[in-house]
Amino acid sequence: MTKAALMKRLSPSRIRWRGVTSVIAFFVLWHLAVVLGVSGISELPTPVETLATFFGEYIADNDYWQSWAVSFQRVLAGFIIAQLLGIPLGLVFGTNRRFREMFFPVFELMRPIPPLAWVPVSILFWPTNESSIIFITFIGAFFVIVINVYDGVRSIRNEHMWLAQSLGASRLSIFRRIMLPSVIPSIAVGMTLGIAITWNVVIAAEMISSDSGLGRMTWEGYVSSTPEVVLIGMISIGLAGYLSSVVVEWIERRMMPWKETR
Amino acid sequence: MQNGSPESPPSTPGVQLSADSTMGHLEVRGVGKIYDPEGARVEALKKCSLDIPAGDFIAIVGPSGCGKSTLLNILAGFDNLTDGDVLMDGEPLATLDDPPKPGSDRVVVFQNGALFPWKTVLQNVVYGLVVKKQMPESEANDMGMDLLARTGGLDRIAQVFPGQLSSGMQRRVEILRALINNPRILLLDEPFRAMDTVSKTNMHQHLLDIYDTYHKTVFFITHDLDEAIFLADTVVVMTTRPGTIKLRLNIDLPRPRNRHTITSQQFMELKQHAVSAVHEEAKKAFERGERELA
């Protein structure tokens, strides 16, 4: 990408303003909807009220930021464990036929079970509440990662393997220098999907069985009939997910320097 | 051709890219290939015999699915044969008992391009040298840069990733990636198939330059008769499946060839000679309406 093209992309005359406008428009519409009493929405606080509560009671509140930290820790733990176990398993499924024939059917039976259906078993099985939440989060990302890596291995181009063989590469070298880089884009897809799912799962799991985290905070807002808190919770979760995606995307770009920036 | 001719390449450090054409003599003797012999029994090749002298540029023309890629895959060592055998420089390359193995003396340039997208142009070019640990990486890089520089100043794109290059440029890099290993035979599987006419014409000139410089045996697959006659010393027309040799045509157009060659009387006469054979087979293949095989 040339410098000129980059400048164009960053120039204030493009795209950015559209994004800003649409975000502002969203809040304005929300405000109007509450003020004009659109049915259903009129029960909610206005964005102004929500912001007032946020700046008045939450921004300096230790517990609030603690909720962020706790949820982030859970997402991170589940996500990283899912990568550490999922990537190798996907690679083995893709490369070892005997192993695949033996274990893939079991994997496929378990894959459609929604992560939240694991909650009861998980609580029974794991000694602490914390570990069961991390386990459920892990489940959320694990299957997606495995299936993507496996698919990545299967779609390695024959030509690349043949060429490496022709040019005298050893089996180990083919694995390291041809297979792994070929699979990186699929790992990246698994990461993108995985991080989104882990946030979904962690929030729900927190609502069901935890006494901390952003999910719990949102749920408590509902139980205590303070809709401002519910909304602050929701917006916080949205921001947290967005931040995570940005970081994951940044990592993906570092993993694939040969891909042009999207 | 002869050593010491003005065309012979300047010496490079490390491996010498030889320009003599004493290596790369191929004998294809009664080769047959049946896919799935127990079941569907698809006969791709039948009693194919070809003698390709060292340093010859041979172009194989035939309709889609005539087994020309199968033959190339056997020569490259990606596929085994079910009848006959192949010798390279008198040594068995592929026999019934001894399936062929891939080797850097026969490198393929594929139809859709197979540069490694995660490696830069230079890393792609020197891949064979580095992976065989023939020489230290720095030496391989020097050699790669040298070869790139001598081939139309391609050293300027050495650090670029293939995804940023046009398909023509990618193909040129691929040919160099094969060439740097000093192969006995270059195997080109319809490398210019998906290109527009202008790029194709340019690529022909690039390929001929390389051929005139290094005189490797070239085994070139295409379904474009003009391309075949323009490039090759020998044009072989294959029949539709099961593939056999239908016609072998000696192309005695003088080298170096250029865009005037293609409008010459001699070119027209050669084309006239081959065109009916090609069309007959193409028509058969078309009427059968089968999907392309491999």
Side-chain angles (χ1 to χ4, degrees):
Chain A
M1 172 148 299
T2 62
K3 201 170 177 185
L6 194 71
M7 291 301 288
K8 212 172 180 185
R9 186 171 278 224
L10 293 177
S11 101
S13 60
R14 284 171 68 95
I15 310 162
R16 294 200 127 196
W17 291 115
R18 289 199 191 136
V20 171
T21 313
S22 87
V23 172
I24 293 174
F26 170 78
F27 282 101
V28 168
L29 282 176
W30 167 13
H31 194 90
L32 286 177
V34 177
V35 173
L36 297 177
V38 175
S39 73
I41 301 177
S42 57
E43 302 299 315
L44 294 177
T46 62
V48 177
E49 286 164 333
T50 311
L51 278 180
T53 313
F54 176 73
F55 283 111
E57 297 169 30
Y58 280 83
I59 194 156
D61 182 30
N62 223 7
D63 286 349
Y64 169 68
W65 292 110
Q66 193 59 35
S67 301
W68 270 79
V70 169
S71 293
F72 253 107
Q73 274 167 20
R74 289 169 180 155
V75 164
L76 209 64
F79 181 74
I80 289 176
I81 298 171
Q83 299 287 341
L84 291 180
L85 299 181
I87 293 173
L89 185 63
L91 287 174
V92 177
F93 272 151
T95 49
N96 188 322
R97 215 184 97 206
R98 195 172 300 168
F99 184 88
R100 178 175 67 243
E101 284 172 355
M102 248 157 51
F103 295 107
F104 197 63
V106 184
F107 178 85
E108 278 299 89
L109 273 179
M110 289 167 81
R111 193 160 67 96
I113 302 173
L116 292 182
W118 287 83
V119 170
V121 179
S122 171
I123 292 173
L124 289 176
F125 183 79
W126 294 94
T128 64
N129 220 0
E130 196 59 30
S131 47
S132 60
I133 292 181
I134 290 177
F135 175 74
I136 296 160
T137 315
F138 155 82
I139 289 285
F142 177 70
F143 289 97
V144 180
I145 289 162
V146 174
I147 219 69
N148 268 288
V149 173
Y150 169 47
D151 194 60
V153 176
R154 283 197 307 175
S155 55
I156 294 177
R157 290 182 55 197
N158 271 337
E159 286 98 329
H160 285 160
M161 303 292 273
W162 282 342
L163 213 106
Q165 283 168 10
S166 282
L167 295 178
S170 65
R171 286 191 63 167
L172 180 69
S173 160
I174 288 180
F175 178 77
R176 279 184 46 223
R177 299 218 194 185
I178 310 296
M179 284 185 58
L180 284 186
S182 301
V183 173
I184 285 179
S186 308
I187 293 178
V189 173
M191 283 172 68
T192 307
L193 297 173
I195 197 72
I197 300 176
T198 42
W199 271 107
N200 277 340
V201 172
V202 88
I203 296 304
E206 283 172 355
M207 287 184 173
I208 297 171
S209 71
S210 171
D211 51 10
S212 58
L214 288 172
R216 189 66 207 171
M217 185 189 112
T218 309
W219 187 248
E220 276 171 1
Y222 166 70
V223 175
S224 62
S225 307
T226 37
E228 289 91 344
V229 178
V230 173
L231 291 176
I232 290 173
M234 284 174 70
I235 293 171
S236 305
I237 293 163
L239 279 176
Y242 176 73
L243 280 177
S244 311
S245 298
V246 169
V247 172
V248 165
E249 225 173 83
W250 180 81
I251 296 172
E252 286 171 4
R253 272 203 302 276
R254 300 297 297 261
M255 277 161 49
M256 302 182 287
W258 65 91
K259 292 257 157 132
E260 280 223 56
T261 44
R262 275 160 285 177
Chain B
M1 293 291 144
Q2 61 283 61
N3 268 326
S5 71
E7 298 156 340
S8 76
S11 65
T12 41
V15 173
Q16 185 84 24
L17 282 181
S18 64
D20 70 299
S21 49
T22 54
M23 299 281 250
H25 175 205
L26 268 183
E27 291 162 83
V28 178
R29 306 195 299 192
V31 165
K33 171 72 185 175
I34 296 171
Y35 287 103
D36 195 12
E38 316 287 283
R41 274 190 72 85
V42 179
E43 193 169 23
L45 291 173
K46 189 179 185 177
K47 295 274 173 226
C48 254
S49 293
L50 270 177
D51 192 295
I52 307 170
D56 210 44
F57 194 131
I58 186 165
I60 312 285
V61 189
S64 297
C66 74
K68 40 193 201 305
S69 288
T70 304
L71 183 56
L72 179 131
N73 283 346
I74 290 171
L75 297 180
F78 304 148
D79 212 339
N80 63 351
L81 38 72
T82 48
D83 195 16
D85 60 5
V86 181
L87 304 183
M88 180 166 69
D89 297 323
E91 306 270 321
L93 177 73
T95 63
L96 277 176
D97 307 323
D98 202 7
K101 287 173 204 62
S104 63
D105 49 1
R106 295 155 278 137
V107 188
V108 182
V109 175
F110 292 98
Q111 189 179 111
N112 298 316
L115 289 173
F116 302 123
W118 56 87
K119 288 180 187 291
T120 64
V121 164
L122 180 62
Q123 286 169 340
N124 265 289
V125 169
V126 301
Y127 175 77
L129 303 178
V130 171
V131 85
K132 272 179 299 192
K133 302 196 172 73
Q134 261 180 342
M135 57 180 76
E137 203 166 331
S138 62
E139 206 175 300
N141 284 340
D142 288 345
M143 194 174 156
M145 284 305 274
D146 187 52
L147 183 62
L148 283 166
R150 271 190 285 121
T151 315
L154 292 188
D155 53 331
R156 74 196 136 85
I157 55 160
Q159 305 307 333
V160 171
F161 289 108
Q164 291 158 285
L165 299 174
S166 68
S167 62
M169 206 55 115
Q170 290 184 22
R171 231 50 109 242
R172 289 176 74 181
V173 173
E174 268 191 279
I175 294 170
L176 295 184
R177 174 172 69 177
L179 191 68
I180 202 168
N181 297 284
N182 200 14
R184 298 191 217 181
I185 303 164
L186 283 173
L187 299 165
L188 305 181
D189 190 358
E190 294 200 51
F192 312 139
R193 182 180 190 167
M195 283 183 198
D196 62 90
T197 323
V198 178
S199 317
K200 219 172 176 178
T201 312
N202 284 329
M203 287 309 297
H204 290 158
Q205 212 56 60
H206 291 309
L207 180 59
L208 285 180
D209 286 347
I210 285 175
Y211 177 70
D212 289 337
T213 312
Y214 300 100
H215 286 292
K216 299 288 175 198
T217 307
V218 179
F219 185 92
F220 188 98
I221 285 181
T222 179
H223 57 225
D224 178 345
L225 186 58
D226 283 345
E227 176 175 78
I229 297 173
F230 179 61
L231 294 172
D233 300 314
T234 310
V235 169
V236 168
V237 179
M238 276 178 78
T239 63
T240 184
R241 214 163 69 222
T244 51
I245 310 299
K246 185 178 177 94
L247 174 76
R248 184 184 171 125
L249 192 61
N250 194 28
I251 309 295
D252 44 9
L253 295 167
R255 290 186 189 275
R257 297 177 189 167
N258 55 39
R259 63 199 156 83
H260 300 297
T261 309
I262 210 154
T263 49
S264 68
Q265 187 62 33
Q266 206 181 348
F267 185 93
M268 292 300 171
E269 279 162 14
L270 286 163
K271 190 175 168 183
Q272 200 93 60
H273 196 72
V275 84
S276 56
V278 169
H279 278 252
E280 220 175 284
E281 293 306 319
K283 198 162 164 245
K284 270 191 231 163
F286 181 77
E287 276 162 5
R288 208 160 54 177
E290 277 179 26
R291 275 192 63 200
E292 237 174 276
L293 182 88

